[in-house]
Amino acid sequence: MIKILKYGEVANEDIFSRVVPEFDVTAIVSDIIENVRQNGDKALFEYCEKFDKAKLDSLEVTKAELDEAMNLVEPEFVEVLKKAAANIKKFHEKQVRHGFIINDENGIVTGQKVIPIDRAGLYVPGGTAAYPSTVLMNAIPAKIAGCRQVVIVTPPSKDGKINPAILAAANIAGVDKIFKVGGAQAVAALAYGTESVPQVDKIVGPGNAFVAEAKRQVFGRVSIDMIAGPSEILVVADGKSNPKFVAADLLSQAEHDKLASAVLVTDSEELAQAVANELEVQIPQLERAEIARASIDNNGKIIVADDLKTVIEIANEIAPEHLELCVDNPFDYLDGIRHAGSIFMGRYCPEALGDYLSGANHTLPTSGTAKFSSPLSVDDFVKKTQYTYYTGEALSRVAKDIDRFARKEGLTAHAKSATVRFED
């Protein structure tokens, strides 16, 4: 049964506590990465056989396999994928940045270029939980940014095949290459390259603890989007909210995995109890009831505060991955939310809208990192380079200023590089 906590009557550490994984995979992941670095494809084939129980002849998905997948996926779902892709494209095209140039002083030009990274690597979970939505959410922004090559890695099933829905989504998103490899070994392959898998410049996408740790360890060799923790939802709801809706929304994240956290913050004790009761009704009806039960019992909580102002303050302190505003006139509260990965507004905007169809990205900061980081976007697939141009006459006007500044920092060679040009 979910815990009900009264804000101000229990310790703040109970209110704001977060899930902390109990196992450390650092050493295991380090060994996997080193093996892939040293042995390339050979290590990948061995790990596929060991972890995925798949004996492969080739790591790369062929054109024939892509075509077969498009035929295997029901046409109605292909249309849903295309609709979602169109919405994601529409949303992310608004994020495109452009360079600038400043040329308002004689003889001086400064500016900035916005350049796509050459090669993006996308990790897509597979196995028991295959997420074609993740393909669209990661690949489409990379394509809009202008990456020269977009590469997917995803674990195969025992028969050596990739879930057809993942391949269909990759086809629709315009992915360039797909490889049948998952886990920490897939991250290592993207970071260092193998005979088959190209080395990339940035790795994005969610995964289990081994994938997250691998991304942490290869950061610096390549860029990464974020270290994602367990899935989170926080629902802000007033006393007018329908407890069936709220319970269903909490469970939409609780079913992800046993470490997921689902939190309701409300100003109504009546709603708190009604939602707790409704969770007990809905959990047994779920296909993933065992996972949802563990998540709700171990990590779920309902926090009751005196008023909505305090509710919003609590939400900001938690800084959740997903935040629902189940209130009348939700736009009245939007400016008050400072820390959340993605906000869902009103009583008819479940978090699942963002997972699949609205167009906003579903790769989001977790574990309170929404206080300082952002959802995945086109910005994740570009870098910025600045440039400066001065004529000789323009430099002569500031050479003494450079000289003074450099000498103040004890860097006489810096100073000389500016003044030497005018000694004659």
Side-chain angles (χ1 to χ4, degrees):
M1 186 101 177
I2 197 167
K3 301 181 289 289
I4 299 179
L5 310 173
K6 185 71 168 71
Y7 184 67
E9 296 181 5
V10 298
N12 275 0
E13 64 183 49
D14 293 329
I15 298 291
F16 299 115
S17 63
R18 294 196 114 92
V19 179
V20 179
E22 296 180 351
F23 50 95
D24 184 357
V25 298
T26 305
I28 297 171
V29 168
S30 180
D31 289 344
I32 290 172
I33 291 173
E34 186 59 27
N35 188 13
V36 173
R37 285 185 64 184
Q38 295 294 330
N39 298 302
D41 281 359
K42 179 176 181 290
L44 297 182
F45 282 117
E46 290 173 353
Y47 284 130
C48 277
E49 191 166 354
K50 179 179 180 180
F51 296 132
D52 304 309
K53 313 303 180 188
K55 194 168 181 63
L56 303 178
D57 296 322
S58 173
L59 293 171
E60 186 170 359
V61 172
T62 65
K63 176 69 164 58
E65 287 175 300
L66 273 174
D67 293 340
E68 179 187 25
M70 292 300 291
N71 292 325
L72 289 173
V73 177
E74 58 272 28
E76 295 83 1
F77 184 63
V78 171
E79 289 307 308
V80 171
L81 285 174
K82 290 179 178 178
K83 184 176 182 180
N87 288 343
I88 295 165
K89 184 178 180 182
K90 181 178 180 181
F91 184 91
H92 289 79
E93 282 177 341
K94 295 292 185 182
Q95 299 173 342
V96 174
R97 291 176 180 263
H98 300 283
F100 62 81
I101 186 167
I102 302 172
N103 185 17
D104 55 9
E105 190 172 344
N106 188 36
I108 300 173
V109 178
T110 56
Q112 180 173 278
K113 295 169 59 180
V114 178
I115 308 164
I117 62 174
D118 285 340
R119 189 176 284 140
L122 318 181
Y123 188 92
V124 178
T128 57
Y131 300 124
S133 57
T134 297
V135 176
L136 300 181
M137 293 290 179
N138 288 270
I140 291 173
K143 283 291 183 178
I144 290 171
C147 296
R148 293 182 180 179
Q149 190 175 56
V150 177
V151 178
I152 279 181
V153 289
T154 189
S157 56
K158 291 180 181 179
D159 62 3
K161 294 183 179 293
I162 302 299
N163 187 296
I166 286 179
L167 296 183
N171 199 26
I172 289 168
V175 171
D176 299 296
K177 287 180 176 290
I178 307 166
F179 294 93
K180 302 174 183 179
V181 56
Q185 60 272 26
V187 175
L190 291 175
Y192 293 96
T194 71
E195 297 89 335
S196 298
V197 182
Q199 180 185 348
V200 302
D201 301 301
K202 185 164 189 173
I203 301 171
V204 305
N208 61 20
F210 293 91
V211 171
E213 177 59 29
K215 287 169 70 177
R216 189 194 309 275
Q217 291 190 25
V218 301
F219 176 65
R221 172 76 180 193
V222 295
S223 179
I224 61 172
D225 53 349
M226 62 187 78
I227 306 293
S231 298
E232 305 168 340
I233 186 170
L234 185 148
V235 179
V236 168
D238 60 19
K240 299 178 185 178
S241 299
N242 187 322
K244 289 185 178 180
F245 296 177
V246 175
D249 292 355
L250 293 172
L251 291 172
S252 72
Q253 291 305 293
E255 73 172 354
H256 264 299
D257 81 62
K258 294 179 179 180
L259 293 178
S261 66
V263 178
L264 166 63
V265 192
T266 180
D267 61 349
S268 168
E269 293 187 15
E270 291 77 14
L271 179 71
Q273 191 58 58
V275 170
N277 295 338
E278 185 61 33
L279 286 168
E280 296 307 304
V281 173
Q282 293 189 27
I283 289 174
Q285 301 170 6
L286 301 175
E287 289 186 13
R288 296 166 68 90
E290 182 185 356
I291 293 172
R293 167 58 66 194
S295 169
I296 290 296
D297 288 354
N298 298 329
N299 313 318
K301 63 184 77 169
I302 298 175
I303 303 166
V304 182
D306 290 334
D307 51 58
L308 279 180
K309 181 176 182 294
T310 306
V311 166
I312 297 295
E313 290 173 358
I314 293 169
N316 278 321
E317 182 59 29
I318 293 174
E321 178 186 15
H322 308 96
L323 188 150
E324 289 188 10
L325 281 175
C326 295
V327 295
D328 291 331
N329 305 313
F331 286 93
D332 292 346
Y333 299 89
L334 181 58
D335 286 347
I337 302 296
R338 302 189 309 280
H339 308 307
S342 193
I343 305 171
F344 301 86
M345 313 279 287
R347 305 189 193 281
Y348 290 89
C349 193
E351 179 276 331
L353 260 175
D355 275 348
Y356 302 120
L357 215 62
S358 72
N361 208 285
H362 80 194
T363 302
L364 304 169
T366 61
S367 305
T369 58
K371 288 185 176 180
F372 53 80
S373 56
S374 307
L376 189 79
S377 71
V378 172
D379 287 343
D380 282 284
F381 300 100
V382 299
K383 59 191 180 71
K384 295 172 278 291
T385 297
Q386 57 195 26
Y387 56 90
T388 302
Y389 168 78
Y390 272 54
T391 63
E393 195 278 330
L395 178 62
S396 72
R397 298 198 300 266
V398 297
K400 288 183 178 179
D401 294 332
I402 296 169
D403 179 81
R404 290 190 185 97
F405 217 137
R407 291 182 186 280
K408 180 61 71 175
E409 295 188 347
L411 300 173
T412 53
H414 279 62
K416 185 73 170 179
S417 70
T419 59
V420 71
R421 288 168 162 79
F422 306 104
E423 286 179 354
D424 292 340

